[in-house]
Amino acid sequence: MADERARHFRRLRRLRRSARRWSVLAGGLGGAAAVLTPYAGLGLPDAAWAGAAGSAVAFAAWRWIDLRALAAAPPPPALDPAQAAARSRARLVAAVERLPVGPGVLAEVRRVRSRLALRGTAAGEAWARLDRASLTLAGMAGRLSGLAEPAVQEATEADHSLRELAWRVASIERALRLDRQGPLAEVHATLTAQLESGVDAYERLVVAAAGYLAEDTRPATEHPAAARLTEATDLLHGVAAALAELRPTAPLRTR
């Protein structure tokens, strides 16, 4: 979306061009009516010329009135560069999201950007582990139903909480570089330990979800597809043996 200031001046330019066009048209039609009416006398064509000229004059007058009113209004203030960049970024994100693969691409870009922002901090490795575990759980979420649904919801809430904790740890660590002897060191150590233990618990949950999915989908007997394939193979062997028995043997040659 363009900023209001640019839109104001664009509308002003359009009104000025429109007023000039209608003024030229009104002058041409008015001159033609003034010349042709006395030349050929009054008639139906002269009424058409006069009506067209009057309409053009009215349109030109309205355009000049609108132009003066708009020119007299103060233009909107200039858009802040940060706001302009944010609007351009939002417009680009909206265009990408309309693509079939847009949401996945944007999610991956955000994930990589966050990982780069936390690189070099104590939360960087925990964030990478959390990313791997969350991607693994997302691949299984569609098949975790029934008794596993509350665990999936809990994992989603824990994911958001752990990511917020990781950003808090990184922020405190950057502030800690300015004062290593203050109370922030103890707070940073405590939060880092909480983050590590939370990521460990999340990974254990993902492993448990994978185990649940494996046990839930493992059949007690042979897989039905394998059983049908075995039956089809036996049937083909039987048909081949029957065809071999029905084939006539070649008669023996006598001298």
Side-chain angles (χ1 to χ4, degrees):
M1 178 184 293
D3 61 281
E4 296 297 329
R5 185 179 179 86
R7 185 180 302 170
H8 172 82
F9 287 110
R10 189 161 53 244
R11 185 183 175 192
L12 192 64
R13 288 192 297 269
R14 284 200 300 265
L15 276 176
R16 184 178 291 110
R17 288 194 297 266
S18 178
R20 289 173 178 174
R21 284 196 300 268
W22 281 108
S23 297
V24 172
L25 184 60
L29 292 175
V35 172
L36 294 177
T37 299
Y39 178 77
L42 294 176
L44 187 60
D46 301 311
W49 282 109
S55 300
V57 171
F59 272 111
W62 288 338
R63 288 293 182 268
W64 283 111
I65 292 173
D66 292 340
L67 176 62
R68 290 177 180 176
L70 184 62
L79 190 64
D80 184 69
Q83 295 180 358
R87 290 189 177 184
S88 300
R89 185 164 52 251
R91 185 168 60 249
L92 178 61
V93 169
V96 174
E97 283 182 343
R98 287 193 292 268
L99 299 176
V101 296
V105 172
L106 290 177
E108 184 63 25
V109 170
R110 293 189 183 103
R111 186 179 297 110
V112 172
R113 185 177 60 185
S114 299
R115 187 178 299 180
L116 292 177
L118 294 176
R119 178 181 294 179
T121 64
E125 181 61 28
W127 185 279
R129 290 169 52 197
L130 184 60
D131 264 347
R132 290 191 294 268
S134 62
L135 288 175
T136 303
L137 184 62
M140 300 184 294
R143 292 170 290 173
L144 291 172
S145 57
L147 298 176
E149 289 183 358
V152 175
Q153 296 176 359
E154 186 67 27
T156 303
E157 296 176 0
D159 180 84
H160 294 306
S161 177
L162 288 173
R163 292 186 188 278
E164 292 179 0
L165 180 59
W167 284 111
R168 194 177 305 123
V169 169
S171 301
I172 293 176
E173 184 172 345
R174 294 188 181 97
L176 187 61
R177 296 170 184 173
L178 304 177
D179 185 13
R180 295 184 176 274
Q181 304 299 326
L184 287 178
E186 184 178 355
V187 175
H188 178 265
T190 302
L191 294 181
T192 303
Q194 291 180 0
L195 179 62
E196 293 290 339
S197 62
V199 173
D200 290 340
Y202 192 91
E203 290 176 339
R204 290 194 298 269
L205 175 63
V206 173
V207 172
Y212 169 83
L213 187 61
E215 292 296 333
D216 186 56
T217 57
R218 184 174 65 178
T221 59
E222 188 179 10
H223 196 275
R228 289 194 298 269
L229 290 174
T230 303
E231 293 175 0
T233 302
D234 295 339
L235 177 61
L236 291 177
H237 281 307
V239 173
L243 291 175
E245 292 178 359
L246 293 175
R247 181 180 299 170
T249 57
L252 295 176
R253 294 183 179 179
T254 57
R255 293 182 180 180

